[in-house]
């Protein structure tokens, strides 16, 4: 049976926007009428989108503007917190509290329900962290975060000997260096069962590595390269409830099977170049992504000056755990 003409057009639009491969397994991840929408614009460099399930809105970072933004479909864009200490990656713990990586304050913080900010970590081995970039939290509260040196404040000295991946116990403040051999560890995520840790290296390798994570989170084993990003570099990553890895890339979001095979790409639309409005159109490179809305099925993409959204048929692994 042939499809109605309108539906054909929608499917073609989805294929051109969302999939370089037109893989049916990839197409199943999206409703037939799904499209990438530019839902907010005018920022400087967006990062760290996370859905706050209690207050029911998205929070994301505009790093150079030193601001955390708030977004809902109904009310649009507003300021959540400014200054933000150039916050980058954000996450939500099991109690629904916002966890943030602050570049210029070189620390990981938690925002309490009353708005008070608790510092969870700002040192390792007695010395300041570089500039925490992104984080993920387990249901038991243990946090894993990356600490490349991208966001070292101007004039500040790098005091850590490397760019490490850390385990943080917020109950005790204990910070433990978990992996030390990354160039620029960046996005970080857990498998739905919490037994695998994924870390993106946005430096020279431009790949995502997978590790078996010990139950106490104090060690990893069997590290291997899971996949390499073929356009730009991997920055933020998230895992859906079926274990697929969704990675930011230079042209949008690349989606991989749990064993690292590329399923397809969610491409950000071509828009006028903010730096050269009369020149060729550009696709804004994605820096991070997060699943949100009440059902957790909307993929939000922070890409340079914009926030994009597309409905999906998947849910974020963090909702299932
Ligand atoms: Mg990042």
């Amino acid at each position: 049976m042939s499809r109605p003409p309108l539906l054909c057009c929608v499917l073609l639009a989805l294929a051109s926007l969302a999939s370089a491969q037109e893989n049916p397994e990839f197409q199943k991840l999206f409703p037939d009428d799904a499209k990438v929408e530019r839902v907010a614009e005018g920022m400087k460099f967006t990062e760290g989108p996370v859905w706050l399930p209690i207050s029911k809105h998205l929070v994301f970072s505009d790093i150079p503007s030193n601001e955390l933004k708030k977004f809902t479909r109904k009310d649009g864009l507003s300021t959540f917190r400014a200054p933000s200490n150039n916050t980058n990656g954000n996450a939500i713990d099991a109690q629904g509290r916002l966890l943030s990586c602050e570049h210029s304050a070189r620390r990981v913080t938690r925002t309490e329900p009353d708005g008070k900010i608790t510092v969870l970590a700002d040192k390792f081995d007695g010395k300041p962290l570089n500039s925490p970039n992104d984080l993920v939290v387990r249901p038991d509260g243990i946090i894993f975060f990356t600490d490349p040196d991208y966001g070292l404040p101007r004039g500040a000295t790098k005091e850590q000997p490397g760019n490490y991946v850390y385990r943080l116990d917020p109950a005790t403040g204990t910070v433990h260096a978990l992996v030390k051999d990354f160039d620029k560890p960046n996005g970080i995520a857990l498998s739905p069962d919490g037994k695998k840790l994924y870390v993106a290296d946005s430096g020279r390798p431009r790949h995502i590595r997978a590790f078996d994570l010990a139950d106490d989170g104090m060690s990893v084993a069997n590290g291997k390269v899971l996949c390499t990003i073929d356009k730009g570099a991997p920055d933020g990553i998230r895992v859906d409830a079926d274990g697929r890895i969704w990675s930011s890339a230079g042209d949008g979001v690349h989606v991989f099977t749990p064993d690292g095979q590329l399923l397809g790409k969610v491409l950000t639309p071509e828009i006028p170049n903010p730096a050269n409005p009369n020149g060729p159109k550009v696709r804004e490179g994605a820096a991070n992504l997060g699943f949100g809305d009440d059902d957790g099925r909307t993929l939000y993409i922070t890409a340079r000056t914009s926030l994009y959204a597309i409905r999906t048929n998947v849910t974020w692994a963090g909702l299932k755990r």
Side-chain angles (χ1 to χ4, degrees):
M1 192 179 79
S2 61
R3 292 179 185 278
L6 179 59
L7 186 54
C8 280
C9 291
V10 169
L11 286 172
L12 282 172
L14 174 61
S16 65
L17 282 173
S19 172
Q21 290 76 32
E22 299 185 21
N23 179 339
E25 291 304 309
F26 179 70
Q27 299 291 349
K28 280 184 201 167
L29 306 182
F30 304 90
D32 285 349
D33 60 351
K35 60 183 185 297
V36 181
E37 292 179 81
R38 196 182 193 205
V39 295
E41 59 190 57
M43 283 77 71
K44 292 181 178 170
F45 190 99
T46 56
E47 251 283 1
V50 69
W51 183 259
L52 270 59
I54 296 171
S55 42
K56 297 184 184 298
H57 61 81
L58 192 79
V59 163
F60 64 97
S61 304
D62 186 358
I63 302 174
S65 298
N66 200 12
E67 186 175 352
L68 278 166
K69 296 289 215 180
K70 173 181 175 179
F71 175 82
T72 64
R73 288 277 191 170
K74 179 169 166 282
D75 299 322
L77 195 62
S78 58
T79 297
F80 180 77
R81 182 158 74 223
S84 63
N85 295 323
N86 306 97
T87 286
N88 187 337
N90 297 289
I92 292 292
D93 71 8
Q95 288 75 43
R97 297 172 296 192
L98 179 66
L99 307 173
S100 300
C101 290
E102 299 182 4
H103 271 183
S104 53
R106 305 169 75 172
R107 64 188 191 178
V108 178
T109 62
R110 180 173 66 215
T111 302
E112 308 297 346
D114 63 2
K116 184 171 156 286
I117 292 173
T118 302
V119 179
L120 302 180
D122 58 2
K123 290 185 177 66
F124 171 67
D125 206 17
K127 300 175 189 133
L129 297 168
N130 296 327
S131 53
N133 189 293
D134 215 340
L135 73 172
V136 65
V137 58
R138 291 200 313 204
D140 65 358
I142 298 295
I143 294 166
F144 301 91
F145 70 95
T146 57
D147 188 40
D149 49 10
Y150 288 125
L152 269 180
R154 188 172 297 171
T157 303
K158 178 175 176 174
E159 298 191 43
Q160 295 298 334
N163 299 327
Y164 298 162
V165 179
Y166 292 104
R167 173 199 187 271
L168 162 63
D169 182 348
T172 62
T174 307
V175 179
H176 167 73
L178 191 62
V179 193
K180 293 185 171 180
D181 65 349
F182 275 80
D183 182 20
K184 308 282 187 190
N186 201 318
I188 187 164
L190 290 163
S191 58
D193 62 6
K195 293 185 180 299
K196 284 201 180 294
L197 181 71
Y198 302 105
V199 184
D201 196 328
S202 56
R204 288 183 297 274
R206 301 190 167 199
H207 61 208
I208 298 170
R209 288 160 68 186
F211 301 89
D212 293 334
L213 181 65
D215 287 347
D216 63 4
M218 292 295 285
S219 62
V220 293
N222 302 321
K224 64 171 187 178
V225 174
L226 185 78
C227 55
T228 299
I229 296 298
D230 62 12
K231 180 80 175 177
D235 194 331
I237 56 175
R238 303 277 188 190
V239 172
D240 70 31
D242 296 317
R244 298 177 203 90
I245 296 97
W246 299 59
S247 175
S248 55
D251 53 359
V253 172
H254 297 188
V255 184
F256 296 89
T257 61
D259 62 357
Q261 302 302 307
L262 180 65
L263 273 175
K265 300 179 178 181
V266 181
L267 301 176
T268 51
E270 292 186 313
I271 62 165
N273 186 344
N276 181 16
N278 297 320
K281 289 188 170 183
V282 293
R283 267 186 226 289
E284 293 189 288
N288 216 328
L289 59 140
F291 290 93
D293 291 346
D294 284 345
D295 62 1
R297 289 177 180 247
T298 299
L299 173 66
Y300 285 99
I301 305 169
T302 47
R304 303 285 171 173
T305 63
S306 303
L307 176 69
Y308 294 94
I310 180 173
R311 289 290 292 164
T312 75
N313 292 327
V314 305
T315 52
W316 173 50
L319 278 182
K320 195 176 177 182
R321 284 202 301 272

